[in-house]
Amino acid sequence: MINLKEILDGTEKGYAVGNFNVHNLEYVQGVVEAAEETQSPVIIAITERPLNYYGIDYLINTVKAAEKNCSVPLCLHLDHGDNLDIVFKCIEAGFSSVMYDGSHLPIEENIANTKKVVEKAAEYGIYAEAELGKLQGIEDGKESTESALTDPEEAKRFVDETGIAVLAVAVGTAHGFYDGEPKLDFERLKAIREKVEVPLVLHGGSGVPAKSVKKAIDIGISKVNVGTELKVAFNQGIKGVWEENPDEIECTAIMGAAREGIKNKVIEKIDLFRSNL
């Protein structure tokens, strides 16, 4: 596994690397099989909720086992870690990247906490992502009813004072499902891109029209997060098995279909992000 800064190196050439949120073995296998088939780098992301449910050791060793069968770059990333203790545990356990999410805090507190994460990550030779601005929706079981777009000037200050390697910005996306078509603020994104030099991240990538994703990448998005669409693909795979055979009880048949759903969705996103090597 390589770190976040390394896996995003080269994205300035006009592509983005997919950040795919996983929850269990089949998710990991589906993402890695898609990466291998397309010869694309991928970021395998885990949020606090599955970490608390399965335990760090189970999930990190699942990814390490998948890595042995993969010839393309992988990054194991903590996504939306808003608990400093869990962020630090993931760094110590061997994650190759972490994201601290202090976007719900006043900017001064967000900066202070992010600096702690950056310093801790540096001790282990990895890099940190952080977020400035708020996205509406549900992420990791936590609902936010407020949104606040990223201010370009604040973004520059935030990057300069924290030393983060990657910045997640709020430019009109949301977590979860959208009511209607999301409208991205491309002028704001351009202004942020002009102010900061670090790679930029688009969270809430599920359900964003392909043309908008491509335009965001052309402007300077280097990493696109996908979670909700994978959940739908996973569940549709299982549903398809039982629609065809309601009496099916063989776990490998049921979960195998879910894994195939994940793989196909990830391949679709890799093609959209243009990250095929």
Side-chain angles (χ1 to χ4, degrees):
M1 290 182 286
I2 65 175
N3 64 53
L4 188 61
K5 189 173 182 179
E6 291 172 327
I7 206 165
L8 297 181
D9 183 34
T11 54
E12 70 277 358
K13 297 176 182 177
Y15 70 91
V17 178
N19 173 111
F20 300 105
N21 285 67
V22 304
H23 295 267
N24 60 18
L25 172 64
E26 284 73 23
Y27 270 83
V28 173
Q29 289 178 325
V31 172
V32 172
E33 287 177 11
E36 193 63 26
E37 185 170 313
T38 59
Q39 286 296 286
S40 169
V42 291
I43 297 165
I44 297 176
I46 304 173
T47 58
E48 290 184 6
R49 196 175 194 180
L51 283 175
N52 289 331
Y53 181 81
Y54 291 105
I56 290 177
D57 289 344
Y58 279 100
L59 288 174
I60 195 170
N61 284 310
T62 297
V63 176
K64 286 182 177 180
E67 179 195 14
K68 294 178 181 178
N69 300 308
C70 191
S71 63
V72 296
L74 297 180
C75 175
L76 174 57
H77 179 67
L78 171 66
D79 189 29
H80 285 285
D82 61 5
N83 182 311
L84 286 176
D85 287 339
I86 291 180
V87 175
F88 291 163
K89 285 179 181 178
C90 288
I91 292 172
E92 294 165 355
F95 275 61
S96 55
S97 167
V98 292
M99 177 205 174
Y100 171 68
D101 183 0
S103 60
H104 57 289
L105 301 172
I107 188 170
E108 298 291 348
E109 191 173 352
N110 191 359
I111 288 173
N113 287 350
T114 301
K115 287 175 68 174
K116 294 177 183 178
V117 172
V118 170
E119 292 168 0
K120 181 72 172 181
E123 294 176 13
Y124 288 77
I126 66 173
Y127 297 89
E129 172 187 337
E131 185 170 13
L132 190 63
K134 299 177 184 177
L135 272 65
Q136 284 184 325
I138 299 176
E139 172 66 26
D140 210 29
K142 303 168 186 175
E143 183 173 8
S144 173
T145 58
E146 297 181 358
S147 65
L149 300 184
T150 305
D151 178 86
E153 290 293 341
E154 284 191 346
K156 183 180 187 308
R157 177 196 170 195
F158 188 77
V159 171
D160 290 345
E161 293 190 20
T162 61
I164 55 168
V166 180
L167 176 66
V169 296
V171 291
T173 55
H175 290 129
F177 295 104
Y178 291 97
D179 292 326
E181 183 177 310
K183 304 295 183 182
L184 273 60
D185 188 339
F186 294 113
E187 292 305 313
R188 182 179 298 272
L189 180 57
K190 288 178 183 177
I192 296 169
R193 178 70 287 166
E194 291 172 359
K195 293 289 183 180
V196 303
E197 296 182 359
V198 300
L200 301 178
V201 182
L202 187 69
H203 282 228
S206 292
V208 178
K211 62 181 180 180
S212 295
V213 173
K214 290 178 181 178
K215 186 172 182 179
I217 293 171
D218 289 339
I219 292 172
I221 288 293
S222 294
K223 174 175 173 279
V224 182
N225 285 27
V226 180
T228 300
E229 286 190 64
L230 296 188
K231 293 178 183 178
V232 172
F234 185 90
N235 291 332
Q236 286 179 337
I238 294 174
K239 183 180 178 181
V241 172
W242 281 327
E243 285 179 344
E244 185 175 331
N245 181 8
D247 297 323
E248 180 63 75
I249 61 171
E250 179 56 52
C251 186
T252 54
I254 298 167
M255 299 304 284
R259 179 177 64 192
E260 191 68 13
I262 294 291
K263 175 184 174 181
N264 291 336
K265 180 56 66 174
V266 172
I267 289 175
E268 175 189 317
K269 293 300 181 181
I270 284 172
D271 288 341
L272 174 61
F273 303 156
R274 307 190 291 256
S275 61
N276 313 53
L277 294 177

